[in-house]
Amino acid sequence: MMQKNVLEWLDQTVENNPKKVAYESEVMSITFEELQLQSKRIGSVISQLKLGKSPIAVVLGREVTTISAFLGVVYSGHAYAPLDASLPQVRMERILRILNPSAVIYNSKSEEIVKNCLLEAGIEHCQLLDLEKLMTGEICEKELEKVRNEMTEEDPLYVIFTSGSSGNPKGVMTSHHALMCYIEAYADVMRIEKADRLGCQSPLDYIAAIRDIYLPLRYGAYSYLLPKELFMQPDKLFAVMNEKKITCIGWSVSALTVLTSMGAFKDICLTELSKVCFSGAVMPGRVLKLWQQKLPNARFVNQYGPTEATASCTYYVVEHEVAEDEVLPIGTPYENYRIFLLNSDGTETGLGKIGEICVSGPILALGYYNDPERSKSSFIQNPINHGYFERIYRTGDFGRVREDGLLEYHGRMDRQI
């Protein structure tokens, strides 16, 4: 039977591994069974409030219970909009104006900033939901079943805000199906298994965090929320990763670069890490070469793609030791992704020529929330397909296909902020 939403992944993993720890931080851990019960309590309370269909903002920190809040919102039939409580107030106000949420989930740490931002944003009719109270609610299976029966795979799962090249927040709305396609394609390339232990670097409102959130639901893997401050202390970070037996990371290039510049691997090595994915910028050859030399048996994957294409759309498995000045290709499309290059006049770019990277497939975002004009300009009809409607996303990035079929990245069409 076809799976149509991420809650079915959770159901299956709870059935197979109820007592296994799903997520852990410095201060707490939660098993898959506990996660499901906690999320159902949250979802039961929200679903009975009859809030309509607008997304629910989740303004919390980088905590295990934040993931319970996300899934609780999903159980209620809504999309969640994650906002890290440490965001600058001006940015949070802008995002809340765009969202105009019917409800905001907060906790004692974020209560003050939530109330201040809603006031400054001029949002009056919005329910404030205390996470601690939501987690003590009664589970109403009848209500949750009703919600699930009405869900489809095209329902929005989340709205993640990016700045893009304009500096203005864009709420990228992604469906369950798009997310599920990406997670399964990524897991296939990275060879993810139940035994894998993920080391989460990203804030939970950032697109890269979806891997650390949803790979455990799908495969029964474990995810540890690495403390942010450790990324300025390589020895302590590596010691924690060894203690937690971290086998797989999907980090930003900047994280790997900063750790390298601060003396990573000088005094302590990583004993368990065997899968490394990196994205977000061009990887300096000298940085990757050091990581390859220190982890000679690890699988390294370069990944490229925008939030609008559900995190990333291409990958390149690095199977050789790179040179210090080498620039890696961004590779080939993930499964269920189609990549092609267009000229400025909408014609297809020839082999070896530079053009705009465009993406199509079931993994495209549903659009930008509450921003129809920007959605229309970025998500367009494929100009080289005249036979039927085919929605594509224009990335605003330049690329070139090499003779061997691999895609190269050649920068932004505008100046990226």
Side-chain angles (χ1 to χ4, degrees):
M1 184 177 177
M2 184 178 68
Q3 292 175 315
K4 64 181 182 180
N5 66 58
V6 297
L7 299 179
E8 292 172 53
W9 282 355
L10 179 56
D11 290 342
Q12 188 173 344
T13 302
V14 168
E15 184 177 338
N16 295 333
N17 300 281
K19 304 300 181 185
K20 183 179 178 181
V21 172
Y23 309 103
E24 186 177 10
S25 69
E26 279 186 298
V27 297
M28 73 171 292
S29 65
I30 190 168
T31 67
F32 286 106
E33 185 177 57
E34 291 167 340
L35 172 71
Q36 185 181 56
L37 292 173
Q38 201 168 79
S39 302
K40 280 186 171 184
R41 291 190 188 99
I42 295 167
S44 293
V45 176
I46 297 173
S47 65
Q48 295 177 75
L49 295 175
K50 308 303 179 188
L51 295 173
K53 283 295 181 181
S54 61
I56 292 176
V58 180
V59 185
L60 299 169
R62 204 160 165 276
E63 304 157 13
V64 168
T65 50
T66 300
I67 300 172
S68 299
F70 293 166
L71 295 176
V73 172
V74 177
Y75 268 112
S76 75
H78 294 82
Y80 64 89
L83 299 174
D84 192 280
S86 65
L87 283 175
Q89 183 167 331
V90 172
R91 178 167 173 79
M92 195 176 295
E93 288 170 14
R94 287 179 180 174
I95 290 173
L96 288 172
R97 284 194 193 99
I98 295 169
L99 270 178
N100 192 21
S102 54
V104 178
I105 297 176
Y106 69 92
N107 62 11
S108 57
K109 296 177 185 176
S110 61
E111 180 177 8
E112 185 176 355
I113 189 168
V114 164
K115 290 180 177 178
N116 288 340
C117 287
L118 288 173
L119 182 64
E120 292 297 322
I123 298 172
E124 298 177 356
H125 305 291
C126 176
Q127 295 218 33
L128 298 179
L129 305 175
D130 185 334
L131 180 60
E132 281 88 353
K133 292 180 180 177
L134 290 176
M135 290 192 298
T136 62
E138 292 290 326
I139 295 175
C140 180
E141 291 287 0
K142 185 177 180 181
E143 184 68 27
L144 296 180
E145 184 180 0
K146 180 175 181 293
V147 171
R148 288 281 285 276
N149 288 340
E150 294 174 355
M151 293 175 78
T152 77
E153 62 184 13
E154 288 298 317
D155 284 345
L157 173 61
Y158 58 70
V159 182
I160 287 182
F161 280 83
T162 69
S163 292
S165 56
S166 67
N168 296 316
K170 298 186 296 182
V172 181
M173 178 167 265
T174 299
S175 71
H176 284 256
H177 183 65
L179 178 279
M180 295 170 84
C181 284
Y182 169 70
I183 289 296
E184 295 199 342
Y186 174 86
D188 184 55
V189 169
M190 294 301 294
R191 301 173 179 171
I192 300 298
E193 302 171 331
K194 184 173 78 171
D196 274 310
R197 297 172 67 83
L198 314 174
C200 178
Q201 171 237 337
S202 302
L204 297 180
D205 65 340
Y206 185 58
I207 186 60
I210 65 171
R211 298 187 287 269
D212 302 306
I213 294 169
Y214 289 104
L215 286 170
L217 295 193
R218 173 63 179 87
Y219 295 96
Y222 158 96
S223 188
Y224 186 79
L225 307 183
L226 291 158
K228 182 180 178 181
E229 60 272 14
L230 290 185
F231 284 84
M232 301 302 289
Q233 306 170 74
D235 287 355
K236 289 187 177 179
L237 173 63
F238 285 10
V240 170
M241 290 174 68
N242 288 340
E243 178 192 345
K244 298 299 178 182
K245 295 181 168 45
I246 300 302
T247 63
C248 179
I249 58 174
W251 289 359
S252 66
V253 167
S254 61
L256 297 171
T257 303
V258 168
L259 288 168
T260 302
S261 69
M262 297 182 70
F265 295 108
K266 283 185 178 178
D267 299 315
I268 184 170
C269 285
L270 290 164
T271 57
E272 307 291 333
L273 188 63
S274 61
K275 302 169 186 179
V276 180
C277 180
F278 49 89
S279 58
V282 176
M283 169 63 82
R286 59 178 176 78
V287 173
L288 180 56
K289 184 176 181 179
L290 174 66
W291 281 77
Q292 286 181 311
Q293 290 173 342
K294 298 299 182 180
L295 297 167
N297 298 316
R299 182 175 179 82
F300 289 89
V301 177
N302 183 27
Q303 185 178 246
Y304 156 83
T307 304
E308 289 86 346
T310 315
S312 293
C313 52
T314 70
Y315 71 94
Y316 174 70
V317 180
V318 187
E319 296 179 323
H320 64 282
E321 184 175 300
V322 300
E324 293 204 353
D325 60 350
E326 184 173 346
V327 178
L328 297 172
I330 55 177
T332 54
Y334 277 115
E335 185 178 359
N336 266 320
Y337 288 74
R338 183 180 295 117
I339 305 293
F340 51 95
L341 305 183
L342 292 181
N343 298 313
S344 58
D345 62 359
T347 58
E348 192 163 14
T349 306
L351 184 67
K353 302 293 180 66
I354 292 177
E356 183 181 6
I357 301 172
C358 297
V359 191
S360 68
I363 42 60
L364 288 187
L366 298 170
Y368 299 118
Y369 186 75
N370 207 14
D371 196 345
E373 292 305 313
R374 190 180 278 177
S375 297
K376 285 179 185 176
S377 65
S378 295
F379 297 90
I380 66 167
Q381 162 67 21
N382 185 351
I384 60 176
N385 180 355
H386 304 292
Y388 61 91
F389 179 68
E390 181 191 0
R391 198 168 64 109
I392 69 169
Y393 174 69
R394 300 174 56 186
T395 66
D397 291 331
F398 284 124
R400 182 178 79 91
V401 178
R402 306 190 322 196
E403 290 290 337
D404 59 5
L406 295 176
L407 183 65
E408 294 177 338
Y409 175 76
H410 282 269
R412 286 289 297 167
M413 294 174 66
D414 53 22
R415 299 187 65 184
Q416 185 75 22
I417 293 177

